[in-house]
mmCIF file of all heavy atoms in Angstrom:
data_model
loop_
_atom_site.group_PDB
_atom_site.id
_atom_site.type_symbol
_atom_site.label_atom_id
_atom_site.label_comp_id
_atom_site.label_asym_id
_atom_site.label_seq_id
_atom_site.Cartn_x
_atom_site.Cartn_y
_atom_site.Cartn_z
ATOM 1 N N HIS A 769 91.383 119.535 134.360
ATOM 2 C CA HIS A 769 90.746 118.465 135.307
ATOM 3 C C HIS A 769 89.166 118.792 135.099
ATOM 4 O O HIS A 769 88.729 119.919 135.155
ATOM 5 C CB HIS A 769 91.231 118.660 136.613
ATOM 6 C CG HIS A 769 90.371 117.924 137.690
ATOM 7 N ND1 HIS A 769 90.262 116.566 137.517
ATOM 8 C CD2 HIS A 769 89.963 118.348 138.885
ATOM 9 C CE1 HIS A 769 89.523 116.222 138.550
ATOM 10 N NE2 HIS A 769 89.262 117.303 139.310
ATOM 11 N N GLN A 770 88.374 117.722 135.277
ATOM 12 C CA GLN A 770 86.974 117.641 135.122
ATOM 13 C C GLN A 770 86.329 117.545 136.355
ATOM 14 O O GLN A 770 86.030 116.389 136.809
ATOM 15 C CB GLN A 770 86.588 116.623 134.091
ATOM 16 C CG GLN A 770 87.400 116.397 132.796
ATOM 17 C CD GLN A 770 87.026 117.460 131.754
ATOM 18 O OE1 GLN A 770 85.717 117.581 131.445
ATOM 19 N NE2 GLN A 770 87.953 118.088 131.146
ATOM 20 N N ALA A 771 86.151 118.719 137.146
ATOM 21 C CA ALA A 771 85.517 118.649 138.395
ATOM 22 C C ALA A 771 84.100 119.213 138.360
ATOM 23 O O ALA A 771 83.104 118.697 139.094
ATOM 24 C CB ALA A 771 86.326 119.402 139.511
ATOM 25 N N ASN A 772 83.843 120.133 137.452
ATOM 26 C CA ASN A 772 82.668 120.877 137.457
ATOM 27 C C ASN A 772 82.654 121.733 136.150
ATOM 28 O O ASN A 772 83.575 122.563 135.996
ATOM 29 C CB ASN A 772 82.300 121.741 138.613
ATOM 30 C CG ASN A 772 80.985 122.263 138.725
ATOM 31 O OD1 ASN A 772 80.434 122.762 137.636
ATOM 32 N ND2 ASN A 772 80.301 122.250 139.914
ATOM 33 N N ILE A 773 81.720 121.558 135.174
ATOM 34 C CA ILE A 773 81.776 122.370 133.923
ATOM 35 C C ILE A 773 81.805 123.808 134.353
ATOM 36 O O ILE A 773 82.430 124.549 133.610
ATOM 37 C CB ILE A 773 80.512 122.056 133.136
ATOM 38 C CG1 ILE A 773 80.659 122.804 131.895
ATOM 39 C CG2 ILE A 773 79.206 122.398 133.764
ATOM 40 C CD1 ILE A 773 81.611 122.070 130.772
ATOM 41 N N ARG A 774 81.217 124.245 135.375
ATOM 42 C CA ARG A 774 81.156 125.819 135.712
ATOM 43 C C ARG A 774 82.587 126.199 136.219
ATOM 44 O O ARG A 774 82.942 127.398 135.895
ATOM 45 C CB ARG A 774 80.103 125.992 136.840
ATOM 46 C CG ARG A 774 78.751 125.824 136.287
ATOM 47 C CD ARG A 774 77.713 126.193 137.310
ATOM 48 N NE ARG A 774 77.671 125.376 138.487
ATOM 49 C CZ ARG A 774 77.862 125.807 139.845
ATOM 50 N NH1 ARG A 774 77.812 127.103 140.091
ATOM 51 N NH2 ARG A 774 77.842 124.924 140.804
ATOM 52 N N ILE A 775 83.372 125.291 136.855
ATOM 53 C CA ILE A 775 84.903 125.734 137.077
ATOM 54 C C ILE A 775 85.688 125.859 135.775
ATOM 55 O O ILE A 775 86.260 126.884 135.697
ATOM 56 C CB ILE A 775 85.434 124.597 138.027
ATOM 57 C CG1 ILE A 775 84.737 124.522 139.368
ATOM 58 C CG2 ILE A 775 86.988 124.942 138.101
ATOM 59 C CD1 ILE A 775 85.369 123.438 140.351
ATOM 60 N N ILE A 776 85.482 124.946 134.881
ATOM 61 C CA ILE A 776 86.060 125.054 133.508
ATOM 62 C C ILE A 776 85.671 126.417 132.866
ATOM 63 O O ILE A 776 86.500 127.183 132.311
ATOM 64 C CB ILE A 776 85.822 123.857 132.676
ATOM 65 C CG1 ILE A 776 86.322 122.580 133.413
ATOM 66 C CG2 ILE A 776 86.447 124.060 131.294
ATOM 67 C CD1 ILE A 776 85.874 121.258 132.641
ATOM 68 N N GLN A 777 84.352 126.762 132.810
ATOM 69 C CA GLN A 777 83.820 127.928 132.202
ATOM 70 C C GLN A 777 84.494 129.188 132.778
ATOM 71 O O GLN A 777 84.845 130.056 132.278
ATOM 72 C CB GLN A 777 82.277 127.975 132.280
ATOM 73 C CG GLN A 777 81.697 126.877 131.422
ATOM 74 C CD GLN A 777 80.110 126.607 131.662
ATOM 75 O OE1 GLN A 777 79.660 126.932 132.739
ATOM 76 N NE2 GLN A 777 79.468 126.071 130.637
ATOM 77 N N ALA A 778 84.395 129.134 134.193
ATOM 78 C CA ALA A 778 84.799 130.323 134.871
ATOM 79 C C ALA A 778 86.308 130.589 134.810
ATOM 80 O O ALA A 778 86.719 131.767 134.477
ATOM 81 C CB ALA A 778 84.521 130.195 136.410
ATOM 82 N N ALA A 779 87.164 129.468 134.774
ATOM 83 C CA ALA A 779 88.563 129.648 134.470
ATOM 84 C C ALA A 779 88.881 130.071 133.160
ATOM 85 O O ALA A 779 89.667 131.006 132.874
ATOM 86 C CB ALA A 779 89.275 128.375 134.855
ATOM 87 N N CYS A 780 88.166 129.532 132.162
ATOM 88 C CA CYS A 780 88.391 129.855 130.720
ATOM 89 C C CYS A 780 88.021 131.363 130.393
ATOM 90 O O CYS A 780 88.777 132.001 129.760
ATOM 91 C CB CYS A 780 87.566 128.943 129.746
ATOM 92 S SG CYS A 780 88.425 127.344 129.637
ATOM 93 N N GLN A 781 86.962 131.732 131.032
ATOM 94 C CA GLN A 781 86.487 133.137 130.850
ATOM 95 C C GLN A 781 87.634 134.104 131.390
ATOM 96 O O GLN A 781 88.017 135.080 130.641
ATOM 97 C CB GLN A 781 85.171 133.363 131.545
ATOM 98 C CG GLN A 781 84.546 134.684 131.229
ATOM 99 C CD GLN A 781 83.404 134.950 132.144
ATOM 100 O OE1 GLN A 781 83.225 134.357 133.097
ATOM 101 N NE2 GLN A 781 82.543 135.892 131.701
ATOM 102 N N ARG A 782 88.225 133.714 132.481
ATOM 103 C CA ARG A 782 89.099 134.652 133.089
ATOM 104 C C ARG A 782 90.466 134.666 132.332
ATOM 105 O O ARG A 782 91.270 135.546 132.319
ATOM 106 C CB ARG A 782 89.409 134.329 134.557
ATOM 107 C CG ARG A 782 88.316 134.876 135.432
ATOM 108 C CD ARG A 782 88.501 134.071 136.834
ATOM 109 N NE ARG A 782 87.425 134.400 137.874
ATOM 110 C CZ ARG A 782 86.134 134.158 137.813
ATOM 111 N NH1 ARG A 782 85.664 133.543 136.846
ATOM 112 N NH2 ARG A 782 85.356 134.675 138.893
ATOM 113 N N LEU A 783 90.719 133.542 131.647
ATOM 114 C CA LEU A 783 91.842 133.404 130.902
ATOM 115 C C LEU A 783 91.744 133.825 129.380
ATOM 116 O O LEU A 783 92.670 133.618 128.550
ATOM 117 C CB LEU A 783 92.472 131.905 130.868
ATOM 118 C CG LEU A 783 92.931 131.421 132.282
ATOM 119 C CD1 LEU A 783 93.023 129.914 132.176
ATOM 120 C CD2 LEU A 783 94.248 131.988 132.600
#
Side-chain angles (χ1 to χ4, degrees):
H769 169 49
Q770 313 277 312
N772 187 319
I773 186 75
R774 292 184 295 127
I775 294 178
I776 300 174
Q777 288 164 340
C780 283
Q781 190 188 15
R782 284 166 177 73
L783 291 166

